[in-house]
Amino acid sequence: MPRILDGTAIAAAIKQEVAEEVRQLVAHGIRPGLAAVLVGNVAASEIYVRSKVQTCADLGLFSELITPSADTTTEAMLDLVHGLNDRDDIDGILIQLPLPAQVDTKALLDAVDPDKDVDGFHPVNAGRLQAGRPALAPCTPAGILEILRRSNLPIAGQHAVVVGRSDIVGKPVAMLLLHENATVTICHSKTRDLPAVTREADILVAAIGRPGFITAEMVKPGATVIDVGINRITTQAEFDRYFAGNAKREAAFAKRGSTIVGDVHPQAFEVAGAYTPVPGGVGPLTIAMLMANTVRAARMRRGLPQRSA
Ligand code: GUN
């Protein structure tokens, strides 16, 4: 039986450590603070951002939720970001994506002070990460590394294959794995004979954004499979493709009319030595690492040493 890597438990351990660190900082008069910017009324974004703000409260961080209307402009958003950059009580700035089409997302992300860029989306942080300098790394990739480390799964010398080359997941996770001395291959839609490449992976990271894309024949027996995908499926045909015969999922699907599948087909997990389930794998780490990044930013900005890893 493959080992299930419990992201919820790992995230809980990290959050507990962050809460303890916040207590120590508060005792020295420093309360790390996060500004969360949520534009308009995208339902999924609202759920994510409220959860981020709630977690701040749970762990003792200061947070401020800022909710510009959907018809805001690039100029108004730039003014907002500049104001947050200047505030001493704000250590981290999170601009929930996606933004409305009329807002220039790149201009806005570039305007965030790199030292407050707790999402790790600023090109300066991408550069710092690549150069092996202290950087705020994007939360999902940083969370993947925490899962591997805290599960005592070896990275050095392993062949890690990352499927997907996004700036938010694929590229940064490849860089983090490289810094841990993995041999890293990045695959994408133009990769020739993808199954032949993924079958070489000791660590396979699936970050494509397509439901069930990684099938059992693409996984080397015993590999560690990290599934970053969150895809909502709503039709019975889709459900049957991934979960036929799974009574627990069937009941949940019947009740809600939808369920979540990752980028890895559930049958492919059976070939793995260890894997992150969806839900309950990588997802919970994203918020935990956002909290950790905010505390890290608070220390960095004040020239305080980082807590040792
Ligand atoms: N939208 C979806 N995921 C994320 C994330 O991790 N950060 C931000 N800012 N927006 C997102």
Side-chain angles (χ1 to χ4, degrees):
M1 282 289 277
R3 178 178 167 198
I4 300 174
L5 305 173
D6 183 349
T8 307
I10 294 169
I14 292 170
K15 285 191 277 189
Q16 208 171 7
E17 291 164 17
V18 170
E20 176 54 32
E21 218 183 331
V22 170
R23 273 193 289 278
Q24 288 174 16
L25 285 169
V26 169
H28 290 89
I30 300 163
R31 187 178 295 279
L34 176 73
V37 182
L38 168 66
V39 180
N41 313 91
V42 180
S45 293
E46 283 183 7
I47 293 168
Y48 284 135
V49 172
R50 285 186 203 290
S51 175
K52 291 170 183 179
V53 168
Q54 179 60 48
T55 309
C56 283
D58 294 345
L59 305 190
L61 288 90
F62 168 73
S63 71
E64 189 165 303
L65 175 62
I66 302 160
T67 55
S69 62
D71 62 357
T72 187
T73 61
T74 301
E75 289 66 35
M77 289 290 291
L78 284 172
D79 282 349
L80 171 65
V81 168
H82 291 143
L84 295 171
N85 285 344
D86 290 341
R87 274 174 58 179
D88 198 45
D89 59 337
I90 296 297
D91 297 293
I93 301 171
L94 171 126
I95 302 168
Q96 188 68 22
L97 303 180
L99 293 171
Q102 80 276 9
V103 176
D104 182 341
T105 299
K106 280 205 173 109
L108 211 58
L109 296 182
D110 287 0
V112 174
D113 179 344
D115 294 337
K116 295 189 176 188
D117 170 36
V118 285
D119 260 327
F121 291 170
H122 196 289
V124 164
N125 278 317
R128 285 175 180 161
L129 178 63
Q130 198 236 288
R133 310 283 177 85
L136 292 164
C139 300
T140 300
I144 291 169
L145 269 285
E146 287 295 331
I147 291 175
L148 294 171
R149 280 196 204 106
R150 290 173 187 250
S151 305
N152 293 315
L153 291 160
I155 304 175
Q158 301 292 99
H159 187 183
V161 175
V162 179
V163 189
R165 56 174 154 181
S166 70
D167 291 325
I168 293 176
V169 181
K171 284 185 211 167
V173 80
M175 208 48 68
L176 290 169
L177 289 162
L178 179 64
H179 290 326
E180 293 295 325
N181 299 310
T183 301
V184 182
T185 303
I186 306 175
C187 302
H188 45 77
S189 54
K190 301 284 191 294
T191 297
R192 253 186 291 140
D193 197 358
L194 179 65
V197 183
T198 58
R199 271 197 303 272
E200 293 294 314
D202 303 306
I203 300 169
L204 180 59
V205 181
I208 313 123
R210 288 171 64 178
F213 182 81
I214 301 290
T215 53
E217 319 77 70
M218 297 169 78
V219 177
K220 176 160 87 173
T224 296
V225 177
I226 305 291
D227 189 354
V228 185
I230 301 175
N231 308 290
R232 186 167 293 279
I233 54 171
T234 53
T235 68
Q236 187 68 43
E238 282 177 305
F239 181 87
D240 291 343
R241 193 177 313 146
Y242 306 115
F243 300 114
N246 183 331
K248 211 167 134 196
R249 284 276 187 153
E250 181 82 62
F253 183 70
K255 194 167 149 203
R256 293 209 192 136
S258 73
T259 191
I260 301 288
V261 66
D263 289 351
V264 178
H265 195 292
Q267 283 169 1
F269 289 141
E270 300 308 314
V271 184
Y275 70 92
T276 58
V278 176
V282 174
L285 268 296
T286 300
I287 291 184
M289 297 315 292
L290 178 69
M291 300 298 121
N293 268 354
T294 304
V295 173
R296 186 174 158 82
R299 285 182 179 279
M300 278 193 333
R301 215 158 55 79
R302 292 169 178 83
L304 298 171
Q306 296 299 326
R307 195 176 56 88
S308 54

